[in-house]
Amino acid sequence: LGFLVSGRGGGGGGASPRMIAAEVLAKGLAPGRTRGCEAALSGHAGYAALDQRDRSFVKRAVATTERRVGQIDSVLSSFMDEYPPRPRKDAGGPAMALKVASSLRLGAAELLFLGTPPHAAVSGAVGALRAMGAPEPMTKLANAVLRNLCKQSEATRQGPTKGEAALAGTRPLDNVHPNQVAAWAASWGPEVASKIASQMMEPPALDLTLCKSKCIELLAKDCAEGADRLDLSAKEGDAAQLADHFADHLVGHWAKLLNATALPTGSLRCESAGAVDRLPGFADGAWFVQDASAALPAAVLLQSLQSLQSPEGPEDRQVEVLVDMCAAPGGKTAQLADALKMATCRAQGGGAQGGRVVAVEVDPRRAKRLVGNLRRLGLAPPEAAPPE
């Protein structure tokens, strides 16, 4: 009932989530399309108008369908005489044929991979197709195919459905371009190629990097005892001392809040995070999204410069400027700026000055995103602005 009440069954005012998902898939998986479904999703006006719950559903459904499209098409081909459906002038032409194929793919993805109840998956996909203006023969075709996927063996009426049985005959490699599979096999062998493809089918985890200087400020504000002593606006040196003392505590604290796993490299990994901007600490700027592997280069650089950042080192060897080229969306810039902000706190006691980070981004649109991210983290000066 939840799927139908929320409008995911295809009814209600405005475009239903499944209709939006099918339209995105039709555009993103169209022959010759190079940018994929993510670009089609971000450019769909109806997607932005959905509430957070429905946006999450659409994004998950689209991502799963795109990721598994090879296996899905293989299954659908075994249930249809002609798949993808041939464009017909009396049935909307090539554009409608794409929408029919996308609705079928969406329904199959829900049935085979997302665990959607059969009635909701079938009625939702058919309803979306009908809302997109498909003629009655096309909606009847989609309904018949998807209902057939749900059926169990007529002899036993138990065990896997026909769709699940057909899926068992496919492989994750079916979702990868044959040229790419051949390249993997040539480099590492067929077994490793199969493992790579299997790993690619898993939904990506969400990796986060803590902004330590901001975490310390938040921790100081939350401290009931010694609030005056931890007033960072009056005495920033306490931030560095607190950061050093509570480094392990910060990681454990945010790992617990975010239901995340602390990785050996210092990143936090969330397996099923949901909407990023709804997670604890996002609005406060306590962390930023950054793949764990992407966090390594800046961490290695900072480690190599550690002696230069130390106030005990020669004055002429202090880090003055670090330049991050092609900086958007700002993960590495934030790492560097955060580390130098903490180094500035440590250096103030001896009168030394910390360094600064110059972030360079030629694309005005990406530069605007860069500045916005850094401001949320408290790392961009008020006058920072992208070029007009």
Side-chain angles (χ1 to χ4, degrees), residues 38-56:
E38 185 174 355
L41 187 63
S42 61
H44 196 294
Y47 175 70
L50 296 174
D51 62 32
Q52 183 57 53
R53 182 168 175 253
D54 284 338
R55 281 202 302 272
S56 297

Side-chain angles (χ1 to χ4, degrees), residues 266-328:
S267 297
L268 297 177
R269 174 158 293 176
C270 306
E271 295 297 340
S272 55
V276 172
D277 58 359
R278 298 289 184 90
L279 294 177
F282 175 85
D284 295 324
W287 48 262
F288 50 95
V289 176
Q290 185 182 42
D291 189 80
S293 61
L296 294 178
V300 171
L301 173 62
L302 289 168
Q303 187 176 27
S304 69
L305 295 176
Q306 189 171 13
S307 62
L308 302 183
Q309 299 169 19
S310 171
E312 288 79 16
E315 185 176 350
D316 60 354
R317 296 187 65 198
Q318 293 296 313
V319 175
E320 294 183 1
V321 179
L322 290 174
V323 181
D324 184 9
M325 307 296 290
C326 306

Side-chain angles (χ1 to χ4, degrees), residues 184-253:
W184 288 342
S187 298
W188 301 295
E191 184 177 350
V192 173
S194 180
K195 290 181 178 179
I196 294 174
S198 297
Q199 182 60 40
M200 286 176 61
M201 296 306 104
E202 297 299 322
L206 178 69
D207 293 341
L208 309 174
T209 299
L210 291 179
C211 182
K212 292 183 179 179
S213 59
K214 197 59 179 287
C215 285
I216 296 303
E217 293 178 13
L218 295 173
L219 182 62
K221 291 178 182 179
D222 290 341
C223 284
E225 299 180 1
D228 293 338
R229 179 177 61 84
L230 299 177
D231 184 0
L232 301 184
S233 62
K235 194 175 182 181
E236 292 189 356
D238 283 346
Q241 298 170 13
L242 202 57
D244 291 339
H245 185 69
F246 285 107
D248 293 336
H249 169 77
L250 286 176
V251 173
H253 171 71

